Amino acid sequence: MCGIAGFIDYRKRSTEQILIKCTDSLIHRGPDGSGYDFTETDFCQVGLGHRRLSIIDLSSAGAQPMHYRHLSIVFNGEIYNYEEIKKELLALGHNFSSHSDTEVILHAFDEWGKEMMPRFIGMFAFTIYDRQNQEVWCFRDRPGSKPLYFYWHDGLFLFGSELKCFHPHPGFKKEINTQALLQFFQYGYILAPLSIFKHARKLGPGHYLHINLKTQEVQEKKYWDVFDYYNKPKLNISYQEALTETEKLLVSACQYRMVADVPVGVFLSGGYDSTAVTAILQANRTEKLKTYTIGFFEEDHNEAVYAKKVANYLGTSHTEHYCTTREAQDILPDIPFFCDEPFGDSSIIPTILVSKLARKEVTVALSADAGDETYAGYNKYPLALSFQNKLNRVPDFLKPTAGRFLKYFPSSILKAIVRNPAVDLKKQRLSNLFHEKSVSAVRLMDIFLSQAYSTEQLEALLTSLPQKPISNFNSSNLLRPDLGEIDSMLAIDYITYLPDDILAKVDRAGMSVSLEGREPLLDHRLIQYAAQLPESFKMTSKNKKIILKDIVHKYVPKEMMERPKMGFGIPVFSWLRSDLKYYADEYLGKESFAHGLFKQEEVDRIISHFYNGDKNFNNPFWYLLMFQMWYKKWMN
């Protein structure tokens, strides 16, 4: 895991010192070393910068930028199957001077060009400069584990692992993208390809960029698409066959992610996903795995007791730490720096805490994200199906009346039905859906279960309401028409919530303490196989994540695992109403809204309702606080 940064400057206003400053802004991603390569051509200046976190081949032979013939590379991530690819290349006459996966990528590109990508099992974001053909190539892994931003404006192309590496370049213009601002307040995160800044974008998961240095043409293309696998015919196999093959793939995915020349640990929450990873790895080794858990004194948020039971049963070397309000308070000021664009998932706090805990003993930690998006584990999936069934049972001629009636329906009763404390803010959205003839589960998941604020409600907050951007939430029309509702929701979540919220959180949290995070359940072979399984192997009306649970039950007793899903949350809202209120007040005073982006009346309403205990305003308040903290850090 590392940090990469660089530029292509057609106006030739850059220097090697600027490259060093841009790269070294990412020192937290790579504290073990740095490298810079500055080239001036007839067309432009090209800068490649790298901050190194040494994981594989700790010697100087693994340093970057790395060069081979006319190719140079800066690389963030890991290619887990690099040894197999290396054997192929050796048979084709290639010779290697290091034991690093970086060198394998260079030789693979020299041999196969962009067609090398299907061979890679890994997580990665890398840039290759081809001096012979005067081209630059940028690649991002299939699910989007590793981030890659780029900026293209006024003859300047910037790229990097995080937006902060753009700020030291004098050609970078800090202008807020109001469409991204709208998106942040709707979802709590900004979806690819947008970023908070104009002219800056996220390279999409499974995409690459090709830049022709002679013509200045920048092309973004897709080399892998999860929809391709959901659009394939379902496999005609028995459940037992599917169970056997899924477990085989899981074992392979977990074993690959133990390849390292440094100590490796595992995050263990005691839920099915992390237990699957821990159990599979511990079953195949004699030494004890190192496992880590964060606990909370507030019972409603505490999973540590379950994790400890699983760790004791599996026999891992387990470490747990109970989080205090003070520890959360200490992390809050750092969130804008490490996220460097507004980010509203409060679980980044415990994720940073568990990363700090693990970093005391290991340099690599395995996590277990993507289990819910691959095998249907979220409560929102059956909830969306239930609402869809209720909506579509109402005769068309009665829907307008039902929609109007819903506006006046008691919130207390509706809250109990939908199990969502923010129902007051969502009644209008649900009412509007009654005016549609047929509502898909994906649309319900988006509008009713994913958005904190609707576009209409944002009119009250934003002083300038831009046109709502088209996002991957709008791409379900690319799925085959007869695909089931469950698979449709899974496919959309895999290209929205997973990369732009979950994986962004895990990357930033781990990198905040220079810890490499690895995700076995993100192995592309797992999703490619799961996408072709019948929906009933994953979820029914009475059970979620069926096939993964049955695998776990082979290693851990069912009665130990069965409990309500909690999620990785913290009691941050109660803290902000009490011990941490003073901190929020610092950023939410009237003088701090001089930027003029929000209407003060709505800001006051959000703050007032939140402090009066109205849970409808938990997320709007938190998003407002996160934005204000980000703005003060990066725009003032």
Side-chain angles (χ1 to χ4, degrees), residues 108 119-120 144 161 210 213 217 221 239 241 244 254 273 306 342 426 428 473 594 596:
R119 288 178 160 83
F120 293 161
S161 299
H210 173 242
L213 298 183
E217 184 180 14
K221 294 187 177 180
Y239 180 73
E241 288 174 304
T244 301
C254 290
D273 299 341
Y306 306 110
K426 299 189 176 188
Q428 180 62 54
F473 273 109

Side-chain angles (χ1 to χ4, degrees), residues 337-350:
F337 174 79
F338 290 115
C339 292
D340 68 19
E341 71 176 349
F343 187 71
D345 188 340
S346 61
S347 67
I348 192 169
I349 295 175

Side-chain angles (χ1 to χ4, degrees), residues 343-352 501-502 505 568-570 622:
F343 187 71
D345 188 340
S346 61
S347 67
I348 192 169
I349 295 175
T351 309
I352 290 175
D501 184 314
I502 300 298
K505 173 189 70 179
F568 197 30
I570 59 171
W622 178 254

Side-chain angles (χ1 to χ4, degrees), residues 206-279:
H207 283 67
Y208 69 86
L209 281 179
H210 173 242
I211 303 105
N212 185 319
L213 298 183
K214 297 177 184 178
T215 65
Q216 302 188 24
E217 184 180 14
V218 179
Q219 291 183 314
E220 182 175 356
K221 294 187 177 180
K222 187 183 293 183
Y223 69 85
W224 183 86
D225 190 343
V226 73
F227 281 17
D228 291 342
Y229 299 91
Y230 278 105
N231 285 335
K232 286 187 175 185
K234 293 297 181 185
L235 296 171
N236 185 21
I237 58 174
S238 69
Y239 180 73
Q240 188 57 48
E241 288 174 304
L243 191 72
T244 301
E245 181 62 18
T246 299
E247 184 177 7
K248 179 182 171 184
L249 289 171
L250 272 170
V251 170
S252 174
C254 290
Q255 296 291 7
Y256 264 132
R257 283 154 183 82
M258 292 298 286
V259 175
D261 296 328
V262 294
V264 179
V266 182
F267 293 151
L268 177 63
S269 70
Y272 273 98
D273 299 341
S274 64
T275 299
V277 171
T278 306

Side-chain angles (χ1 to χ4, degrees), residues 4-19:
I4 64 174
F7 53 71
I8 304 167
D9 189 349
Y10 290 100
R11 295 200 173 187
K12 298 189 177 182
R13 299 165 296 184
S14 299
T15 64
E16 187 170 8
Q17 281 304 115
I18 291 173
L19 174 63

